[in-house]
Amino acid sequence: MGFRKDSVLRRSSDVPSRAVEGKGILVDLESGYYFSLNRTGQFIWEHLDGVKELQEIVLLMVEQFDVDEETCLKDCIELADCLAADGLVVSAASG
Amino acid sequence: MSRHSLQMELLGERLHVNAAREDLLTGIRHAGVLLLCEESDKSPQLTFSFDLAKSGHPPCVPPGAPRAVSEQKDFEIYPEGDNFVVVVEQKSTAHCRYDDCVVTISVHPDHQTNSWIIGHRLFFIPLLEWMRYKNWYPIHGACFQIDGRTIVVSGPSGSGKSTAALSAIASGCTILSDDTLFARREGTIIRLDAFPEPVKIGSGSARFFPEWSNQFIEGHGKFSISESELPGEKRITGATPDYLLFPEIVEKERTELVPLGKETALIKLMPQSVLPEGHEVMQRHIDLLGELVEQTETYSLLFGRDVRDLPDRIRSIL
């Protein structure tokens, strides 16, 4: 998808999700697949609200987790690309 | 042809069935619903009305219907506005209206003597969806109590749920159900209600219970035994679960219980409960299952050949 640090994404409207002990489970109603997220993945998922840029989420993560900004941004973009490829998130600009 | 009518009670909800032939009622009994009474002055909360289609070509998929929200091997569920219709093999239909609590069932001639289709597809599936609408969420699981602690064993058919339940019964434990449970939120906790039906097990498991061999009734590839045939069986209708076990039959002598992470437990529990449908209902359903997982201690149950010792194995983790 090639997202950048100023990309703004939001969770797709038809993806039920649930956090358990900090980790996340997503259900793709279209395919019937379940996806699981680790703690950092769940943190990112919760902040993909259609308002924050990925860079802002990264700054929040650096405060919360023991990770440097550069690594965190790379991982955040990688996860966003994966989620978008499965239709679980969309660009906020896409309406 | 005489007109038959039944009143049933399930989890405190009164159901009413209009059916024109005894074999339809036999099919409904086949679904395992316990008939508590056949006459009542109270108004029913849900009415099933059966109609025997004379033609071989009843309308099935609603004209202009959106795609099915659930497609299984022999039936689909389609939305109809705020309601839904179950279509079985493109022949029989069950139109379910939430607003006036009526299920109108048209049974195709090919299905009119098929107890499985009548009982499980045209009666049980709409009943499950209606129960969910009333905030009772079905879970494929057995449930029993050992030393006052409530144990849920959840897994697909053939994973050992009923065998576990029978083992518990044989050792004097109290049982809620061997196959179907309904979960509901009560304040801040999740409670389970029993779905009363006979215990059903495969022939491979029946051999572990030779003392009941004369009571097992064979049918549809399973042996069933009603609660009245189980000496000493103690049923309860509801409980708060403490332990959630996910069984897997292993080729080992001794059964083991291995702690399971909550996230994995939720992933294992969802297929035993969730039918695909609208996002909002699905989200409520998953939230409830998540709370159930958080409320309980979760384990993998590696079910060995020491079937009769299962209650003792479970006691070791209590």
Side-chain angles (χ1 to χ4, degrees), chain B residues 14-274:
Chain B
R14 198 160 291 276
L15 314 177
H16 181 84
V17 178
N18 291 323
R21 265 189 7 202
E22 184 61 31
D23 48 7
L24 296 183
L25 300 179
T26 302
I28 294 161
R29 291 189 184 100
H30 184 265
V33 176
L34 185 67
L35 304 180
L36 293 182
C37 60
E38 300 205 357
E39 296 295 333
S40 173
D41 295 332
K42 291 183 183 174
S43 299
Q45 274 90 22
L46 180 66
T47 296
F48 289 85
S49 189
F50 281 84
D51 176 42
L52 298 173
K54 293 183 176 62
S55 144
H57 306 284
C60 282
V61 179
R67 71 181 184 87
V69 291
S70 176
E71 292 180 73
Q72 308 294 328
K73 193 172 73 175
D74 60 353
F75 74 96
E76 299 96 41
I77 302 176
Y78 294 91
E80 279 190 321
D82 292 335
N83 304 307
F84 66 95
V85 57
V86 179
V87 179
V88 182
E89 294 179 343
Q90 296 296 306
K91 291 178 176 177
S92 297
T93 53
H95 291 266
C96 310
R97 296 199 306 271
Y98 289 125
D99 45 4
D100 54 4
C101 296
V102 172
V103 181
T104 306
I105 298 169
S106 175
V107 190
H108 187 276
D110 292 352
H111 294 161
Q112 288 173 11
T113 57
N114 188 322
S115 295
W116 168 260
I117 286 179
I118 293 166
H120 289 260
R121 294 301 183 237
L122 296 170
F123 177 74
F124 193 62
I125 297 297
L127 178 64
L128 283 187
E129 289 302 315
W130 182 76
M131 296 296 289
R132 197 197 316 252
Y133 176 71
K134 301 280 283 184
N135 294 317
W136 264 291
Y137 296 88
I139 291 177
H140 199 197
C143 184
F144 43 86
Q145 289 186 320
I146 296 178
D147 299 342
R149 313 305 298 274
T150 302
I151 318 294
V152 178
V153 181
S154 181
S157 297
S159 63
K161 295 185 301 297
S162 296
T163 306
L166 273 182
S167 182
I169 294 168
S171 70
C173 299
T174 306
I175 181 174
L176 270 80
S177 176
D178 79 306
D179 190 71
T180 305
L181 303 159
F182 283 96
R184 66 185 160 87
R185 191 174 280 104
E186 189 176 275
T188 57
I189 60 167
I190 305 302
R191 290 268 299 172
L192 294 177
D193 289 303
F195 185 77
E197 57 184 331
V199 176
K200 293 186 281 295
I201 58 173
S203 57
S205 298
R207 67 190 161 90
F208 290 112
F209 306 95
E211 68 269 42
W212 293 325
S213 59
N214 292 335
Q215 278 85 32
F216 286 125
I217 299 168
E218 192 172 6
H220 294 276
K222 291 260 188 179
F223 289 92
S224 66
I225 186 166
S226 69
E227 60 182 295
S228 60
E229 301 294 337
L230 291 171
E233 183 190 358
K234 292 167 280 186
R235 287 247 182 195
I236 53 173
T237 57
T240 303
D242 299 301
Y243 292 84
L244 189 51
L245 315 182
F246 296 93
E248 177 188 344
I249 295 172
V250 295
E251 288 299 320
K252 286 186 175 176
E253 194 56 43
R254 190 181 168 89
T255 294
E256 280 185 85
L257 288 141
V258 180
L260 188 68
K262 304 281 188 189
E263 173 207 14
T264 309
L266 181 56
I267 289 174
K268 283 178 174 282
L269 183 60
M270 285 199 294
Q272 306 312 321
S273 183
V274 174

Side-chain angles (χ1 to χ4, degrees), chain A residues 21-41:
Chain A
E21 292 188 331
K23 298 176 181 176
I25 309 287
L26 316 179
V27 181
D28 183 358
L29 292 179
E30 188 74 27
S31 67
Y33 287 128
Y34 302 148
F35 297 84
S36 59
L37 297 172
N38 61 16
R39 288 174 193 277
T40 50

